[in-house]
Amino acid sequence: MSDYILVLDEGTTSTRAMLFASDGVLAASAQQEITQHYPQNGWVEHDAAEIWEKTLACANEVIPKAGGAALIAGIGITNQRETVVAWDKETGEPLTRAIVWQDRRTAPFCEDLRVSGHEAEVRARTGLLLDPYFSGTKMRWMLDNVPEVREAAVRGTLAFGTVESWLVYKLSGGASHISDASNASRTLLMGLADHSFDERLCDLLGVPISALPHVVDMSGGLALTDSAHFGRTIPITGLAGDQQSATIGQACLEPGETKATFGTGAFVLTNQGDKIAKSDNRLLSTVLMQIAGKRTYAIEGSVFVAGSLIQWLRDSLGIVEVASETEALARSIPNSGGVTIAPALSGLGAPHWRADARGVITGLSFASGKAEIARAALEAMAHQTFDLAEAFQADGTGWETLRIDGGMSANDWMAQDLADMLGIAVERPVFVETTALGTAMLAAAGAGLYGDLPGAAQAMRGDLTTFEPQMDEATRSERLARWRKALAAA
């Protein structure tokens, strides 16, 4: 019986193949790091061919552990959203490096569109802001600056897609050029009420609609793999952008339920049901789910720097040798000694949206050491999340509890600090890799292992740990005052 789900989890720094049993238990996994390219200040790139080759290698490493491809009921793909790949439909090869979601090179183009008065229309149509974060302006940059991309567009062989689209194309042997609705909703090229990319938005950004994928559901029979890859065809039955997938993996399937993922960045989504939510506080509206053509929407707050701050402390400053050391360092002192970090290493996301902001560390003295800096870095997670909580509250979507996940959420000190600063209960699943789990749920329902997504979520979601707030108001107020001062200097 085919009762395993293979999830391909395409992160910013690595690719993983994760094999899930039908009850949601992780049976096997394989992982390889993705090379980060930083050709200029503010530029971040990936090699799309490397992503494909390493993803395929990871998949072929874990499939035998299921007993072979015949026991895989379906494949799910979840991905770093907004990262853009350009390839040639005839050769199936990338035309240039992928531009990663963190990349800020299109800030001048976004500013030109904003000055020309287009942001109000774009925001009303797409739920997004004119920011380099989103995919469409990256596509336009490739067309303007990469001759191979421009020439493919003239020939009619250009294909654009986010990472899930690229992988489906490769897995299907070029038969399927598709993108799921959650990823498509992050491009600036599809209205929230639309079910395909929009000619007017494409014209505004200068992106040929003929190069874009077909927009599809997130669960069901979406594509088939080429039998050459795994010895037989396997249906691709689940697709989701990573943050939508984590929201599903946390079983936030009812309006008002909220999750926060702390990975490379930090992303908070609140389920809004079938209504297209509008924000007056610079939060984003996005597609949470599309199944059988029916849409569920979410409000989202995106923080650009979370786990990447700890990676920077490790790799650039040598404060820690491994990320997990930050918890012991934070616990070794009663407070940060006044040290505060505003981690705007690639600008500030929601609710500030300042592409020009840069990171600052304030409150340093001769008494400041590794412990103070590490603790301040972890405290920055709660500070940024607090700003989002205020914006959500102002939009009428206050949080009653917060469900957290992602690699950083395994840090008990940080989880407790979130509960303390937010003043609400914070829930963490025992299995914190809910991004992959959410796509496993979508793929399991899409493959027919469960009757619907709620049934898959009920069967596959695991146990929880809850953190209750303990901090007094004076301490919280002092922390926030220091944070706002640091933020003003960023």
Side-chain angles (χ1 to χ4, degrees):
M1 180 179 177
S2 301
D3 60 356
Y4 285 97
I5 295 295
L6 175 64
V7 172
L8 305 178
D9 184 357
E10 307 306 316
T12 306
T13 58
S14 70
T15 180
R16 292 187 297 179
M18 305 175 74
L19 188 67
F20 286 89
S22 59
D23 60 359
V25 173
L26 181 65
S29 67
Q31 181 171 357
Q32 293 193 31
E33 288 193 1
I34 298 299
T35 306
Q36 309 295 305
H37 299 275
Y38 305 102
Q40 294 186 34
N41 180 38
W43 291 29
V44 190
E45 297 175 349
H46 287 162
D47 180 345
E50 179 190 18
I51 292 175
W52 161 239
E53 290 161 6
K54 290 186 172 180
T55 298
L56 185 62
C58 288
N60 277 311
E61 184 177 337
V62 301
I63 285 175
K65 297 176 182 178
L71 296 180
I72 306 296
I75 293 174
I77 304 173
T78 183
N79 59 292
Q80 41 160 310
R81 304 171 306 172
E82 296 95 17
T83 295
V84 171
V85 182
W87 68 94
D88 191 289
K89 294 176 185 177
E90 291 184 347
T91 67
E93 296 303 316
L95 294 164
T96 186
R97 282 181 182 163
I99 300 180
V100 179
W101 62 272
Q102 298 160 307
D103 192 282
R104 310 302 290 170
R105 76 184 67 181
T106 65
F109 180 44
C110 292
E111 182 60 22
D112 288 346
L113 290 170
R114 196 177 296 114
V115 169
S116 299
H118 294 295
E119 184 161 70
E121 178 192 358
V122 169
R123 188 174 180 191
R125 293 286 308 283
T126 69
L128 309 177
L129 302 168
L130 287 171
D131 188 87
Y133 177 34
F134 303 109
S135 310
T137 62
K138 297 177 174 70
M139 297 177 190
R140 170 63 181 273
W141 189 95
M142 289 179 172
L143 286 161
D144 288 346
N145 294 277
V146 182
E148 293 84 355
V149 173
R150 190 162 55 250
E151 290 162 10
V154 172
R155 291 194 306 270
T157 62
L158 174 63
F160 277 132
T162 40
V163 173
E164 94 296 344
S165 183
W166 164 241
L167 290 178
V168 171
Y169 187 87
K170 296 298 282 185
L171 285 166
S172 67
S176 297
H177 185 202
I178 61 175
S179 178
D180 71 275
S182 67
N183 277 291
S185 75
R186 311 293 295 186
T187 61
L188 292 171
L189 301 174
M190 184 183 80
L192 285 170
D194 301 334
H195 284 263
S196 60
F197 292 107
D198 180 78
E199 285 273 13
R200 184 172 172 181
L201 291 169
C202 288
D203 289 345
L204 176 64
L205 268 65
V207 175
I209 197 167
S210 60
L212 296 175
H214 177 59
V215 180
V216 299
D217 286 342
M218 296 164 62
S219 183
L222 307 177
L224 292 172
T225 66
D226 189 318
S227 60
H229 296 312
F230 307 121
R232 67 178 288 269
T233 60
I234 303 175
I236 297 171
T237 57
L239 296 174
D242 54 5
Q243 301 313 317
Q244 283 91 337
S245 186
T247 309
I248 294 164
Q250 288 275 33
C252 293
L253 305 181
E254 296 296 328
E257 294 178 331
T258 303
K259 75 89 199 176
T261 296
F262 293 89
T264 302
F267 303 88
V268 179
L269 278 80
T270 297
N271 186 320
Q272 295 291 299
D274 59 4
K275 68 174 184 177
I276 299 176
K278 304 294 185 183
S279 173
D280 296 321
N281 293 276
R282 298 179 68 77
L283 300 172
L284 308 176
S285 298
T286 197
V287 173
L288 174 59
M289 290 179 281
Q290 180 180 311
I291 299 174
K294 181 181 179 182
R295 290 253 173 103
T296 301
Y297 296 94
I299 287 280
E300 175 175 338
S302 308
V303 169
F304 295 153
V305 177
S308 54
L309 177 63
I310 307 303
Q311 186 178 32
W312 178 72
L313 293 185
R314 182 193 69 193
D315 297 343
S316 297
L317 299 189
I319 298 293
V320 294
E321 291 185 4
V322 293
S324 58
E325 289 179 28
T326 56
E327 179 167 357
L329 286 170
R331 292 187 186 281
S332 71
I333 51 177
N335 54 61
S336 71
V339 177
T340 305
I341 298 178
L345 291 137
S346 57
L348 286 169
H352 311 288
W353 294 107
R354 287 178 48 201
D356 62 324
R358 289 297 176 264
V360 298
I361 304 176
T362 64
L364 291 171
S365 71
F366 284 120
S368 306
K370 291 198 301 183
E372 285 75 15
I373 293 173
R375 181 164 174 145
L378 293 180
E379 288 180 347
M381 304 306 118
H383 295 156
Q384 294 181 106
T385 308
F386 183 91
D387 284 355
L388 288 177
E390 284 197 319
F392 275 77
Q393 180 67 47
D395 276 336
T397 313
W399 311 338
E400 295 183 5
T401 60
L402 183 66
R403 302 174 184 180
I404 65 170
D405 54 67
M408 284 194 76
S409 70
N411 186 314
D412 284 353
W413 189 91
M414 191 198 82
Q416 183 60 53
D417 195 52
L418 282 166
D420 288 342
M421 290 301 296
L422 297 173
I424 60 174
V426 168
E427 296 178 352
R428 183 185 67 197
V430 172
F431 183 71
V432 299
E433 298 297 342
T434 54
T435 298
L437 182 61
T439 295
M441 293 172 180
L442 286 166
L449 297 183
Y450 295 97
D452 55 20
L453 182 59
Q458 182 177 7
M460 300 174 78
R461 192 183 185 212
D463 296 331
L464 303 173
T465 300
T466 301
F467 299 83
E468 298 287 350
Q470 300 172 1
M471 182 179 289
D472 63 85
E473 186 56 42
T475 302
R476 184 183 296 113
S477 296
E478 187 272 335
R479 282 261 304 268
L480 290 173
R482 284 194 284 109
W483 163 246
R484 286 168 182 143
K485 184 177 180 181
L487 205 59

